[in-house]
Each structure stands twice: as structure tokens, then as C-alpha cells.
């Protein structure tokens, strides 16, 4: 009689141990789930806080850059690469921009791991795609010749330019029909007009061709002359008919010593009797600029790219965007102003500025 009772107690003890183990596993699972939910909530809150902080800081950086451009307009005169707006802001701790008395200790401590950098770039240092097509839907012949010279320098076939021009004409025609609220027929159908150079893939450009063109072209909302004070050597040769590479290098050397206040200064520096300068195609001032800011907080990097237009002292923003990829660099290298050294068919890397208005890098 004792053996069955002993076996029953053993079974009851085994069941109790099993229930205890199941209870421990259940409690551990619930605790782990609660801990994970709490960690996730903390991470989401931290990410949202960093996003909000980045948004405010980059908005402040944009306003700061607009103020710099506005103050530059107050002085008047030509726009050139030795002005304050052309000097890049190297990566610096955000705390260095706080008040000098450091009265806000909490803000200084919070920004100790935040770094800000950026630069303003002259978009009128490049050939504007908008200049190719006129409002009446016809090609602007002088601008077309400039683009042909650019394609020749970069070793690109002119047939690619002609295909691009055909698509631009279709986009212009389609945009005109939409603006007039008329019904669109099959013949008027066309691609959207691009807003930035990266969108030229809509018009059939391959990635290799676009990579060669990006440092030298832009897409602006209106027709603009090329600023010869900020244009690269490649753009100078494209803009000035009959200008050889050696002449362009000589102009760049002269520009380092003294910028040009007017087109007469350019003609005097070029010393080419047959050189003609059309004020509608080239100039010495700029109204459109690209602003790029990079904010790094701990391991998170946020970039913002903006295009602004300056009319007198009024600087308005055309568009802003914050790409998801931290290595985003519109137009190959938007934060570097055009360099002054000859090296054809190569891509420019980040350019270093010295106190004197001298640029180093590719032509």
C-alpha cells in the first residue's frame, strides 16, 4: 500500500515543479515584453526629439544663410568667391554658436555632441537648363551653342543633347497646355519639366552622362545669366565663344587677383578683340543660390538642401528637402564652389578654401 502512495506523491511533486517552471517562463516572457515595449517607447521618443531638434537647428541655419545673403546684397556690387557667403562653414560644435557668457549651461551641455556644417553655392555659376527653351516653344540658339560647347568639352555626343532638347520641348508644350486649362491631346502629351538636375533621367539621360553634367548645370525657375565671377573653367569655355582652354586658365588666374565688377572688366582681362559678351547670357552678379546644411547629433546625421532666390535684400526659399541617405550630394558636389584649376573630364571633390580668394581642385 505504501508504494502506490509514494508514486502518487512523486507525480504530484513533478507536476508542481513543471507548473513552477511554466510560471517562471510566463513571468519572464511578460517581463521581457514589457521591457521591450518600454525600450521601444524610449527609442521612438529619442528619435522624435532628435528629429525635432534637427528641424529647428537646420531651419535656424537656413535663416542665418539668408541673412548673410541679404547683408551681401546691402553692399551691392558683383558677387564673387572671396565674399563671406562663399566661405564654407567647417564642422563645428553647436555649442560654439551659443551666447558667449554660457549662461545657458543646460543648452550648452545638450549641444556638446552636436556638430553643424554647410555652405552656400552660387547656382548661376552653371548653365541653366531653363535658358534652352523660350516661352514661345522655340530653342534659344545662343544658349544651344553654349550647351554644345559644354558637351564637346565633356566628350559627350551632341546627339544626346538633341534628344534632351526634344524632350524639353515636349515638356514645355505639355506645361503650356496644362497652364491654359485646355484639353490635352496625344500630340501634346510629354514629360514633366524637371525641378533639379537629378530629374533629367526623366528625359532619357543615363547615369554616366548625368554624372558628367551635374557639376556644370542647374535647373532654375527662370532664365538667368551665368556669373563669370563664380563659373568654373569648363563653364567659361562653354559661355564665351572662341575662348580656348589656355585663355580660360588665364582668366581664372586674373580672377583670383581681382574679381570683375562688370562685363567690361571681363573683356579687358580676356584681351581677345573678337570676344563678345551678351548681358542676357553672362554677367557678374547672382540671384539664385543653393544652401546645404549638415547636422550631426551623436550617431545621427541630417542633411538639408535648399534653393533660394535673392531680389535686392529679400531672400525667399524656392524649395527645401531632407534626403534620407546621409551621403546625399545634389549636383555631384553642391557645397563646393567652382574651382579654378585646369583638369578636364574629371569630377571635383570637396574644395578647400584659403584666406585668399584662391580655389584648388579641377578646372
Amino acid at each position: 500500500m505504501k508504494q502506490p502512495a509514494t508514486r502518487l506523491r512523486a507525480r504530484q511533486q513533478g507536476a508542481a515543479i513543471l507548473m513552477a517552471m511554466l510560471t517562471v517562463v510566463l513571468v519572464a516572457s511578460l517581463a521581457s515584453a514589457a521591457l521591450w515595449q518600454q525600450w521601444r517607447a524610449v527609442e521612438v521618443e529619442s528619435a522624435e526629439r532628435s528629429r525635432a531638434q534637427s528641424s529647428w537647428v537646420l531651419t535656424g541655419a537656413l535663416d542665418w544663410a539668408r541673412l548673410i545673403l541679404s547683408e551681401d546684397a546691402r553692399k551691392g556690387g558683383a558677387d564673387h568667391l572671396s565674399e563671406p557667403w562663399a566661405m564654407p562653414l567647417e564642422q563645428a560644435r553647436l555649442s560654439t554658436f551659443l551666447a558667449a557668457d554660457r549662461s545657458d549651461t543646460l543648452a550648452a551641455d545638450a549641444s556638446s555632441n552636436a556638430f553643424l556644417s554647410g555652405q552656400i553655392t552660387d547656382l548661376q555659376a552653371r548653365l541653366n537648363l531653363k535658358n534652352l527653351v523660350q516661352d514661345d516653344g522655340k530653342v534659344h540658339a545662343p544658349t544651344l551653342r553654349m550647351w554644345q560647347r559644354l558637351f564637346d568639352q565633356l566628350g559627350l555626343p551632341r546627339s544626346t543633347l538633341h534628344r534632351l532638347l526634344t524632350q524639353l520641348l515636349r515638356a514645355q508644350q505639355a506645361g503650356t497646355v496644362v497652364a491654359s486649362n485646355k484639353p490635352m491631346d496625344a500630340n501634346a502629351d510629354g514629360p514633366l519639366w524637371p525641378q533639379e538636375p537629378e530629374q533629367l533621367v526623366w528625359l532619357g539621360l543615363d547615369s554616366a552622362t548625368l554624372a558628367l553634367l551635374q557639376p556644370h548645370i542647374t535647373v532654375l525657375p527662370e532664365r538667368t545669366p551665368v556669373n563669370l565671377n563664380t563659373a568654373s573653367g569648363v563653364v567659361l569655355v562653354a559661355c564665351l565663344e572662341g575662348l580656348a582652354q589656355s585663355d580660360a586658365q588665364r582668366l581664372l588666374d586674373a580672377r583670383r587677383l581681382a574679381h570683375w565688377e562688370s562685363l567690361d572688366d571681363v573683356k579687358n582681362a580676356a584681351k581677345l578683340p573678337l570676344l563678345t559678351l551678351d548681358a542676357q547670357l553672362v554677367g557678374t552678379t547672382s540671384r539664385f543660390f543653393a544652401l546645404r546644411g549638415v547636422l550631426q547629433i551623436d550617431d545621427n546625421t541630417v542633411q538639408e538642401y535648399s534653393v533660394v532666390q535673392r531680389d535686392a535684400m529679400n531672400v525667399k526659399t524656392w524649395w527645401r528637402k531632407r534626403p534620407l541617405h546621409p551621403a546625399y550630394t545634389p549636383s555631384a558636389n553642391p557645397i563646393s564652389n567652382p574651382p579654378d584649376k585646369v583638369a578636364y573630364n574629371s569630377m571635383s571633390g570637396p574644395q578647400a578654401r584659403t584666406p585668399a580668394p584662391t580655389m584648388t581642385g579641377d578646372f
Side-chain angles (χ1 to χ4, degrees), residues 21-332:
M21 294 176 62
L22 291 175
T23 302
V24 170
V25 171
L26 180 60
V27 171
S29 299
L30 293 176
S32 299
L35 183 62
W36 182 85
Q37 290 287 352
Q38 183 179 6
W39 171 84
R40 180 176 178 274
V42 170
E43 290 296 312
V44 170
E45 181 183 358
S46 177
E48 181 64 21
R49 184 174 63 252
S50 297
R51 185 200 64 80
Q53 291 175 345
S54 301
S55 177
W56 282 108
V57 172
L58 290 174
T59 300
L62 173 61
D63 291 339
W64 182 27
R66 292 170 58 192
L67 177 61
I68 293 174
L69 291 173
S70 179
E71 289 301 314
D72 177 72
R74 185 192 301 273
K75 298 185 303 181
D79 296 302
H80 50 91
L81 295 177
S82 60
E83 291 187 300
W85 64 263
M87 302 299 174
L89 173 65
E90 302 297 339
Q91 191 177 73
R93 287 186 183 275
L94 193 60
S95 57
T96 60
F97 299 96
L98 298 178
D101 59 1
R102 292 294 190 269
S103 58
D104 193 350
T105 305
L106 293 177
D109 293 340
S111 60
S112 60
N113 293 326
F115 297 87
L116 180 66
S117 61
Q119 187 167 0
I120 303 174
T121 305
D122 182 13
L123 289 180
Q124 288 185 227
R126 306 174 182 183
L127 298 185
N128 184 4
L129 199 71
K130 185 71 173 179
N131 295 1
L132 269 172
V133 181
Q134 302 181 93
D135 292 334
D136 58 2
K138 297 181 180 179
V139 178
H140 189 247
T143 302
L144 177 60
R145 289 194 293 269
M146 293 167 60
W147 281 76
Q148 289 174 340
R149 290 191 290 269
L150 175 63
F151 270 63
D152 293 342
Q153 288 184 84
L154 299 178
L156 299 174
R158 290 194 178 185
S159 58
T160 302
L161 174 60
H162 295 155
R163 288 197 301 270
L164 173 63
L165 188 57
T166 300
Q167 293 294 87
L168 287 175
L169 291 172
R170 293 182 60 222
Q172 173 84 351
Q173 182 181 8
T176 303
V177 173
V178 171
S180 61
N181 293 323
K182 296 179 180 179
M184 182 178 294
D185 55 23
N187 295 328
D189 189 18
L192 294 175
W193 186 273
Q195 301 298 314
E196 54 182 325
E198 288 79 6
Q199 296 172 353
L200 290 180
V201 294
W202 299 351
L203 307 184
L205 286 187
D206 58 80
S207 58
T209 300
L210 187 58
L212 286 174
L213 287 173
Q214 276 186 318
H216 314 295
I217 66 173
T218 187
V219 182
L220 297 177
E222 60 185 66
R223 293 172 183 82
T224 56
V226 174
N227 187 345
L228 300 180
N229 273 318
T230 57
S232 66
V234 173
V235 175
L236 285 179
V237 173
C239 291
L240 306 180
E241 188 172 4
L243 192 72
Q245 296 181 15
S246 58
D247 296 327
Q249 185 60 67
R250 181 165 48 80
L251 281 176
L252 293 177
D253 293 337
R255 192 177 70 183
R256 289 194 202 98
L257 301 177
H259 67 273
W260 302 313
E261 285 290 340
S262 65
L263 294 181
D264 291 334
D265 293 340
V266 179
K267 292 194 68 173
N268 294 334
K271 299 178 181 179
L272 298 174
L274 299 181
L275 180 65
T276 58
L277 300 177
D278 187 345
Q280 293 184 344
L281 300 178
V282 294
T284 57
T285 59
S286 297
R287 295 171 52 237
F288 288 89
F289 300 85
L291 282 54
R292 183 187 178 214
V294 181
L295 178 65
Q296 181 178 346
I297 302 178
D298 296 327
D299 295 331
N300 301 317
T301 300
V302 181
Q303 296 191 28
E304 181 172 280
Y305 184 72
S306 309
V307 172
V308 300
Q309 177 182 350
R310 181 181 66 182
D311 290 315
M313 294 185 61
N314 180 35
V315 182
K316 66 179 181 180
T317 303
W318 270 99
W319 53 265
R320 302 166 60 186
K321 69 177 179 180
R322 293 175 186 168
L324 297 177
H325 197 283
Y328 175 83
T329 52
S331 299

